[in-house]
């Protein structure tokens, strides 16, 4: 059924980095889909934006006089990307016109196709696309979010759905609502997501095309995928091939594993029925890392984007709380990472600098009597003997402040070994600390998440 | 070693609900321990507060003229509770004076006892307490937080450590730093914690005393415990006995399970060495629910405080996102809860009210085309056939708003069946939604947490 072929992979660029975008079904009303996409693009897109709708001529939108064109052929240039946000029936004619005008990339946001039983309309759409060699994203999708150039077809205002800052993670989502929720959440967690794409009914473009293309996008270091299931066997084969040839890690969270949920997934995205075991085998064959939920998907993706792949066998634990240290050691041991006692020479060195009540064996418990600088000293001395560190930065006691962040970052710079931070709290000071750390390190709120992150760093070695 | 005996259990009241508190080692300097405790009590304690320190006479603190007394016997009354915040050596003499003056309850915040090897000083402390029949919390503890009456000996300003609102959970923590971090986190999560206690070196009062006393505190519905290990065999026996006689659920998170962490726990709280298996057997015998980390400890505690104990076999899943619905079904099935198709009559009823593209079988996927009221309708029709519901309230699509919260609460009121909400996002609107729901329902960010909460509701039946 797929329109795409490998020679047309360069067209994927037009979906992510077009120089010009035309929105067909644009409107001055920001609560309509076409109107909201127009506002988002006028607000942030670094390229030329054209509004297409025969009902309007010139309208003031987002403080600018915006000219509306009556159709694609009236535009001053052939737009590199067309976004169709009209009813399904109208969309077919627009695609025909786009194809005739020489457009090669079209996002069909419009719903009303296979997902409501109108397979006929969807087949017609594909037929038109094939005739003109046009590639399609969708239909029935929320399309693309590109934080690098402001391309954003998500048709939701930021009060409803926050957008993350640019960063090294690309997110491919089989569900539009999951993509929206994840980006909103990532914004709050200060996770940098550079590019996100939702495929909707995936009538043409799927994960495989994007994975292949993202290999050449330097800013993207990791590809994170939310998947319910492939639709055809060929889909799965192209996915494996794309992942294998990509020189970047791919992390997948596959939902629809259990009996009740497979039924739901089939009705949701027409996902290929199939045992979860089959998917696991396939992921293993492709060299994909699996996550158990959306939070873990992004924990692992962020870790792989920030840290060098390393097999972690021994870890240092540094904590201002003996209790949190104990919990972290439990979690590390549970995934097979040991927390070995430091050698005598290291402990003697530590005793010179740490508070007299501190324990120096590993975990290093600075206790409530320590100060910011002791985190730095503990890491500086201890990191030499291990592959990575987990730091419980509970800065509530009087001697600690948000400057613990700087102490941790200095040692991270020096050794280049992965440091994961466990933070627990909501006070002003703790929030400042987290903000300072999140751009450079993985910061989590439970020991189990920290342990999983470290064990995933060696998953592809 | 214990000073306590069962006839003195009524003295525990004096540690939590005293009518008067004297702080020995009080100071006008808020960055000293005694100074910070004084500020906290002046700010919020609903009772009489006395400052004791011979170095001062009258000082202006927190906008009030505060008289300092030179010792306990100079106070206008025998205080119901004394808090000692002085160096260890001085503490012994103060305890002696307190005992002589008729004081029966003393929190020894001061460190410098067994935890730094001064077992002699700690034994001396216990000897004095025994002589006068005084009960001791500590030494080396952060003491008590009581949100109901403002008793707060945590000696940290709120910018460093936020305090939660009053609520039905009591938290007993073997680690002071863990208690501080948990309360700070609970404040951010809007989890109501009525009472929290840290035992420090637990020379006298331990979990068993508190559990026994909390049985009579009506506002407290659940006891959550962070435990590294008992110190003596008798400790464990008293714990079992107390839990068994308590008519409220007890949830425990036991850290120090693995080999490396047992070593750390022994050095941290002198916890009794022993296999984690032994503890599990003991918890089972006592009828305690176990949690796997601090977040789960509070998920379960909150659920048991809010919902009736019920064995959950069948659940309804309602979602605005088909993708999130699939993930929730996976998680429910994984803990043995089924998500059965609704009978035809229910589906026909739903089809009358839900958007045409919605799926009605269970999970009910309202899709991105739904509106607030559809959440209410789906719950109203579906809850009849199940034991509980999980609602994925992703309100990003245009038709949804924070009023989804009201829709959910109406059905919760009507049926009284547990509803757990999965929310994922950080936008303004999502935050408002969460705030409206958190007082009445458990709100989590992953399907696995929701499933664990529902399965724990039947754990004690």
């Amino acid at each position: 059924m797929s329109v795409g072929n490998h020679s047309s992979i360069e067209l994927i660029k037009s979906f992510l980095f077009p120089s010009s975008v035309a929105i067909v079904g644009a409107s001055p009303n920001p609560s309509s889909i076409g109107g909201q996409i127009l506002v988002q693009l006028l607000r942030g897109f670094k390229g030329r934006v054209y509004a297409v709708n025969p009902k309007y001529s010139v309208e003031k939108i987002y403080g600018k006089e915006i000219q509306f064109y009556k159709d694609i052929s009236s535009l001053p240039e052939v737009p590199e990307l067309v976004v169709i946000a009209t009813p399904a029936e109208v969309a077919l004619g627009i695609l025909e016109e786009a194809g005739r005008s020489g457009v090669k990339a079209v996002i069909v946001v419009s719903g009303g196709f296979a997902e409501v039983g109108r397979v006929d309309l969807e087949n017609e759409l594909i037929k038109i696309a094939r005739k003109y060699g046009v590639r399609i994203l969708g239909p029935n999708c929320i399309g693309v979010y590109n934080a690098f150039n402001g391309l954003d077809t998500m048709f939701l205002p930021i009060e409803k759905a926050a957008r993350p800052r640019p960063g090294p993670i690309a997110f491919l989502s089989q569900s539009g609502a999951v993509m929206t929720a994840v980006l909103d959440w990532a914004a709050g967690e200060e996770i940098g997501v550079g590019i996100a794409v939702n495929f909707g009914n995936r009538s043409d473009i799927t994960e495989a095309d994007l994975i292949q293309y993202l290999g050449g996008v330097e800013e993207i270091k990791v590809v994170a995928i939310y998947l319910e299931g492939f639709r055809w066997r060929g889909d799965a084969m192209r996915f494996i091939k794309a992942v294998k040839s990509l020189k970047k890690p791919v992390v997948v969270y596959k939902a629809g594993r259990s009996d009740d949920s497979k039924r739901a997934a089939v009705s949701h995205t027409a996902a290929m029925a199939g045992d979860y075991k089959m998917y696991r085998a396939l992921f293993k064959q492709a060299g994909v890392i699996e996550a158990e939920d959306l939070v873990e998907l992004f924990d692992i993706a962020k870790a792989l984007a920030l840290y060098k792949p390393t097999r972690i066998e021994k870890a240092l634990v540094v904590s201002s709380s003996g209790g949190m240290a104990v919990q972290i050691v439990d979690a590390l041991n549970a995934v097979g990472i040991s927390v070995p006692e430091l050698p005598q020479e290291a402990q003697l060195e530590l005793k010179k600098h740490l508070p007299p009540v501190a324990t120096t064996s590993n975990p290093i418990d600075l206790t409530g009597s320590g100060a910011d600088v002791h985190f730095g000293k503990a890491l500086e001395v201890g990191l030499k003997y291990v592959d990575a560190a987990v730091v419980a930065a509970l800065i509530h006691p009087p001697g600690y402040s948000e400057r613990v962040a700087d102490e941790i970052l200095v040692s991270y710079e020096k050794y280049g070994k992965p440091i994961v931070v466990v933070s627990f709290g909501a006070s002003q000071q703790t929030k400042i600390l987290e903000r300072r750390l999140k751009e450079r390190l993985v910061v989590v709120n439970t020991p189990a998440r920290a342990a999983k992150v470290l064990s995933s760093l060696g998953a592809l070695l």
Side-chain angles (χ1 to χ4, degrees), chain A:
Chain A
M1 291 278 276
S2 175
V3 180
N5 57 59
H6 295 292
S7 68
S8 66
I9 192 70
E10 62 271 19
L11 277 182
I12 303 296
K13 177 194 157 285
S14 302
F15 287 90
L16 298 175
F17 294 97
S19 54
S20 57
V21 181
I23 305 127
V24 187
S27 140
N29 171 13
S31 68
S32 76
I33 291 178
Q36 184 57 232
I37 296 175
L38 183 58
V39 168
Q40 289 299 340
L41 294 187
L42 291 175
R43 204 170 61 99
F45 177 57
K46 295 183 187 115
R48 298 178 296 285
V49 177
Y50 300 108
V52 178
N53 193 331
K55 280 197 257 174
Y56 306 100
S57 53
V58 177
E59 298 281 340
K60 192 150 186 166
I61 300 168
Y62 203 69
K64 294 170 191 163
E65 297 280 329
I66 302 298
Q67 187 182 347
F68 280 74
Y69 297 88
K70 78 176 203 314
D71 51 26
I72 293 171
S73 44
S74 316
L75 293 173
E77 63 175 315
V78 177
E80 190 171 350
L81 174 67
V82 164
V83 180
I84 302 180
T86 67
E89 291 81 358
V90 187
L92 296 179
I94 293 163
L95 182 62
E96 182 87 41
E97 197 215 345
R100 250 195 335 260
S101 309
V103 171
K104 293 292 172 197
V106 176
I107 300 178
V108 186
V109 166
S110 324
F113 294 89
E115 84 282 3
V116 292
R118 297 300 303 271
V119 180
D120 58 321
L121 284 183
E122 193 151 322
N123 286 341
E124 189 60 29
L125 196 78
I126 297 167
K127 222 169 103 183
I128 299 168
R130 276 211 188 124
K131 184 161 79 179
Y132 294 101
V134 175
R135 297 215 62 177
I136 290 180
L137 185 67
N140 183 36
C141 71
I142 59 163
V144 170
Y145 171 73
N146 185 337
F148 300 121
N149 66 355
L151 181 64
D152 182 340
T153 65
M154 286 172 60
F155 56 89
L156 288 171
I158 53 168
E159 312 86 70
K160 280 190 88 80
R163 312 294 207 268
R165 60 178 174 75
I169 300 174
F171 180 47
L172 310 182
S173 176
Q174 196 161 357
S175 157
V178 168
M179 169 165 145
T180 309
V182 159
L183 294 185
D184 184 16
W185 167 81
E189 294 290 314
E190 299 177 60
I191 294 171
V193 180
I195 290 170
V197 180
N198 162 243
F199 309 100
N201 294 2
R202 46 198 296 141
S203 71
D204 172 16
I205 291 175
T206 62
E207 292 83 4
D209 300 289
L210 266 295
I211 291 169
Q212 204 182 335
Y213 177 75
L214 289 169
V217 180
E218 214 187 316
E219 295 89 341
I220 295 301
K221 307 293 180 205
V222 180
V223 181
I225 301 177
Y226 171 72
L227 184 76
E228 290 177 14
F230 300 112
R231 216 160 153 185
W232 302 285
R233 222 159 183 28
D235 236 14
M237 294 307 118
R238 287 183 60 217
F239 175 81
I240 296 183
K241 200 178 157 192
V243 172
K244 278 190 168 173
S245 60
L246 183 74
K247 281 170 186 55
K248 299 174 183 182
V250 175
V251 194
V252 171
Y253 167 42
K254 158 79 174 84
R257 302 175 176 192
S258 67
D259 288 344
D260 289 341
S261 79
K262 269 189 279 183
R263 169 169 52 79
V266 168
S267 107
H268 179 229
T269 50
M272 192 165 67
D275 206 26
Y276 173 50
K277 273 189 213 140
M278 181 196 86
Y279 279 95
R280 293 206 74 168
L282 198 141
F283 294 148
K284 210 175 161 191
Q285 194 192 336
V288 156
I289 302 174
E290 262 207 275
E292 292 303 307
D293 60 34
L294 293 170
V295 173
E296 194 173 294
L297 180 67
F298 279 82
D299 279 351
I300 296 174
K302 189 176 169 184
L304 291 167
L306 293 173
Y307 309 129
K308 281 195 296 270
T310 336
R311 196 178 305 284
I312 310 294
E313 287 168 353
K314 293 184 244 174
L316 178 76
V317 175
V318 180
S319 178
S320 47
S321 152
M324 196 52 95
V326 169
Q327 298 168 46
I328 292 168
V329 176
D330 273 335
L332 289 169
N333 284 178
V335 300
I337 297 173
S338 77
V339 183
E341 281 203 63
L342 292 176
Q344 270 319 106
E345 88 241 29
Q347 296 203 41
L348 287 173
E349 176 67 14
L350 286 170
K351 278 188 209 308
K352 271 190 240 162
H353 298 96
L354 302 187
V357 290
T359 58
T360 54
S361 59
N362 188 23
I364 299 175
D365 175 9
L366 303 172
T367 80
S369 314
D372 298 340
V373 67
H374 298 135
F375 273 96
K377 200 68 205 177
L379 286 166
E380 194 198 318
V381 174
L383 267 176
K384 260 178 275 181
Y385 304 95
V386 295
D387 308 311
V390 179
V391 178
L394 306 184
I395 55 170
H396 309 95
Y400 300 112
S401 77
E402 65 276 11
R403 283 186 298 275
V404 165
D406 310 317
E407 295 288 335
I408 295 170
L409 290 171
V410 165
S411 284
Y412 177 60
E413 282 292 298
K414 183 171 168 185
Y415 288 99
K417 293 180 180 179
I419 299 179
V420 177
V421 176
V422 175
S423 175
F424 207 68
S427 64
Q428 210 181 312
Q429 203 186 38
T430 294
K431 281 182 184 157
I432 298 170
L433 172 95
E434 291 185 358
R435 216 171 302 134
R436 285 199 195 173
L437 289 168
K438 277 182 170 173
E439 201 162 329
R440 309 277 303 284
L441 303 176
V442 176
V443 180
V444 295
N445 68 344
T446 66
R449 286 175 65 189
K452 180 74 192 207
V453 158
L454 286 186
S455 71
S456 73
L457 287 178
L460 296 181
L461 298 178

